[in-house]
Structures are given as structure tokens and as C-alpha cells.
Amino acid sequence: MSSRVVYFNGNYVPESEARISIFDCALMFGDMAFEMTRSYAGKPFKLREHLDRLYGSLRLMEIDCGMSIDEMEQVTHETLDRNRGTEPPDMDWQIMHDVSRGPLSVYSTVFPEGIRPTISINVWPMVTHMGGFAANYKNGVNIVIPAQQTLPAHMVDPKAKTRSRLHYQMANLQAARMGPGRWPLLNDPDGFLAEGPGWNIFLVKNGVIYTPEPRNILLGVTRATVMDLAKKLGIPVHETNLGRYEGLQADEMFCTATSYGMVHATTFEGQKVGDGQPGPVFKRLIEAFKKHVNCDFVAQAHDYAVRMPEWLEQQTMAAQVG
Ligand SMILES: Cc1ncc(COP(=O)(O)O)c(C=O)c1O
């Protein structure tokens, strides 16, 4: 059994014992907001921005989680601090918040203690996520447009980060059929490029950065970070409608997300982006990003890739011993 603990409805419980009811709205409707934050050099990066987005999602979903944002921030730090000792000090962490409305009221007899929102915070060493990702920093990713479109904001607003993610999963399945390891970039129903299942998209043309306007997309925390860094570097950034045509003309293309920061695209729709290598704008930005977070996360991912097999073996053995 791992020695990690999770925050679960007011208590800290062993990770393997944290259980959500089969009657929870999260399972019934995908009715759950969530956030994924990561640490850099041990410090949660932009935790407050992630929590602001979490509370924005909850407000849209009309869920009162019963905790103030300050309390949520405090228990997040506490959860991380309770787990730090399970790994060497150079380990960074994924921090996951999941908040649902709680069990459906029709099943209230199963819950004599009363129905209340389900709140969990778990932390996970980045070794597996980033160890598994490391090669992408060198090889880049291959982006395709699947048939599946995003949900437009007038139906279910993608600015809320929720577990209703079937459309992203469909996009993943369709992209996989288009070739191994393909990354799906979903169009919105107006035919404009929107986002991937867990990332935002950027194009570069003639030294200028373009990214979809903030309408039918999640407002990525990393997206905002990269836009700020670009402005500081004097690189113009435009939020605008972009289509497949613009994608095919781009000199550079890259994706942003909390876990890996940023990664360049080698191909788009089966054609090379630029010369298929990270372009000059991407290179300037990723260097600025590393400085900003005080962590060479590319080198770190490669280090984790080396350590990952042993880590997995140890964790599997611990789980078997129970
Ligand atoms: C649909 C979607 N778009 C974009 C992102 C990137 O957002 P962030 O940079 O805050 O991780 C995510 C992150 O999970 C996502 O789920």
C-alpha cells in the first residue's frame, strides 16, 4: 500500500481507502468540477489561479462546497505537506481537486449522516506523468483534427473544468484511429480551432503568436502564463478565430498545459510544421518559462523517465504487500 494520504470530506485518509459512492452525482451526471495544479521546485504553481477557476466552475454548476477558497488553499498545502515525506525532496507533485454535488438525493437513506458535497484533494508524484512524457519534448507531438467538436459555450461552457468529458474521450479515440500517438485538436461548432482534451493551442506566423479567442475553450492557466511571458519578451500575441487553413500556414505550433508546460508540434494534419523542430519563438518562451518557475522541467522529465521503472516496481510491490 502506498503511504500517501488524501483529503477526503474533512479527513485525511490513506489514498487506497478513499472511496466515492456509486450514488454520487459525479458518477450519475459527470457532475463534478476539478482542477489539476502542479508544483515546480516543490512549490504549487499558481495554486490560487487554479482555485479561482475551481470556484468559478462551482459557481456555474451551482455547487456550494461549504469551504471558503482560503480554507481550500490551506487544506491543499496541508495535503501536500503530509505527503512530501513519501518521496525524495526533488520530487514535484500533481495536485488534484475534485468537487461534486454529492450523492443524488433520491438515495438519501443510504447516507444517514446527510447529503453533502464530495470534496477530495489528492497529490501524486510527477515521476509517472512526466517520465512518460519526456520524449515528447524532443520529438514534438503530431496534431490532427478529429470529427468530434467541442461543446460550445452556449451549451456547456468549457470555461468550467468538469468531469463531463466524454467528447474529449471521443476525440482521443478518433485521433488514435488516425495514427498512433496523434493528438486531437477539436474544432468548435463554428469550424474554428478550439483546444485539445487537456491543452490549449498556439500558432506562430512571422514572429507573431496567435491563439483561439477565449470563447469555446478552457482558459488555461498555462495559456495565461505563456501569454504573459510572450508580452514580457516583446512577442505580440493575438487572440482570434483560427481555422485549419491558419494551422497549415503556421511557422510554429505548440500546446500548453499544467503538467508539461509547453510542447511543440512536429506535424499538423499530416504535414510538417515549419521544419518539424522547435521554432525560435517556442524556444525563447520555454526558456523563459523554465526561469519563471525556477525549474528546468525538461531535464526533470528526463530524470523522472530514468527513475520511473524503479518507482513503478516499488509502488507495485508496496501495493501487493498491502
Ligand atoms: C480542455 C482543456 N483545455 C486546456 C487545458 C489546459 O489548462 P491548464 O493550462 O490550466 O492546465 C486543460 C487542462 O486540463 C483542459 O482540460
Side-chain angles (χ1 to χ4, degrees), residues 134-318:
N136 289 327
Y137 285 121
K138 181 166 179 296
N139 301 335
V141 297
N142 299 293
I143 296 179
V144 290
I145 300 181
Q148 177 68 54
Q149 298 175 334
T150 55
L151 297 180
H154 67 268
M155 297 182 86
V156 179
D157 201 318
K159 292 182 202 78
K161 192 167 161 79
T162 80
R163 293 289 184 196
S164 294
R165 292 173 87 78
L166 182 61
H167 56 302
Y168 296 134
Q169 188 67 325
M170 297 307 293
N172 283 328
L173 294 171
Q174 291 165 5
R177 278 205 297 275
M178 293 161 87
R182 296 293 184 273
W183 280 32
L185 171 58
L186 286 74
N187 272 338
D188 69 15
D190 299 323
F192 297 119
L193 304 178
E195 62 186 342
W199 42 273
N200 292 114
I201 185 76
F202 287 83
L203 314 182
V204 181
K205 184 73 186 170
N206 298 329
V208 177
I209 298 177
Y210 299 91
T211 195
E213 64 173 47
R215 186 166 40 111
N216 292 327
I217 60 169
L218 183 81
L219 300 177
V221 172
T222 324
R223 176 182 183 272
T225 304
V226 164
M227 287 167 72
D228 283 349
L229 291 172
K231 281 173 197 154
K232 283 191 188 122
L233 292 171
I235 307 170
V237 185
H238 295 301
E239 295 173 285
T240 185
N241 287 327
L242 299 164
R244 185 172 183 272
Y245 180 85
E246 284 74 25
L248 288 167
Q249 316 308 315
D251 303 325
E252 304 180 36
M253 184 179 287
F254 60 89
C255 315
T256 61
T258 290
S259 55
Y260 54 80
M262 48 195 298
V263 68
H264 70 285
T266 308
T267 65
F268 173 64
E269 289 282 79
Q271 300 196 43
K272 238 185 217 178
V273 179
D275 62 0
Q277 298 299 314
V281 171
F282 175 86
K283 282 196 211 158
R284 283 181 74 195
L285 280 169
I286 196 166
E287 288 313 312
F289 201 141
K290 290 178 195 168
K291 256 194 212 125
H292 183 60
V293 296
N294 193 26
C295 172
D296 182 343
F297 49 86
V298 176
Q300 181 190 56
H302 285 101
D303 174 44
Y304 288 170
V306 174
R307 289 155 63 176
M308 186 167 69
E310 191 183 331
W311 189 91
L312 286 171
E313 200 178 326
Q314 281 171 357
Q315 297 279 313
T316 309
M317 271 163 52

Side-chain angles (χ1 to χ4, degrees), residues 27-139:
L27 194 68
M28 298 285 178
F29 287 97
D31 180 11
M32 177 177 251
F34 79 108
E35 270 305 317
M36 203 282 251
T37 309
R38 69 159 286 176
S39 68
Y40 282 112
K43 194 171 170 295
F45 179 61
K46 294 201 167 176
L47 175 59
R48 193 65 181 207
E49 283 84 341
H50 282 282
L51 292 181
D52 279 340
R53 192 170 66 186
L54 177 67
Y55 277 70
S57 304
L58 292 172
R59 197 172 167 82
L60 181 96
M61 298 162 80
E62 303 181 28
I63 296 176
D64 174 2
C65 75
M67 278 168 90
S68 71
I69 193 165
D70 288 338
E71 286 167 332
M72 188 68 84
E73 189 169 13
Q74 190 269 322
V75 290
T76 305
H77 284 295
E78 167 103 35
T79 309
L80 182 55
D81 288 344
R82 283 178 184 240
N83 285 285
R84 283 186 197 276
T86 62
E87 293 291 338
D90 66 349
M91 184 61 73
D92 268 312
W93 296 86
Q94 170 187 277
I95 304 163
M96 191 76 85
H97 294 84
D98 283 289
V99 181
S100 86
R101 202 176 307 275
L104 268 185
S105 58
V106 69
Y107 300 110
S108 62
T109 49
V110 181
F111 305 93
E113 70 282 11
I115 289 208
R116 56 178 177 163
T118 304
I119 304 175
S120 76
I121 307 171
N122 68 73
V123 299
W124 187 267
M126 296 289 291
V127 59
T128 47
H129 294 62
M130 295 318 300
F133 184 88
N136 289 327
Y137 285 121
K138 181 166 179 296
N139 301 335

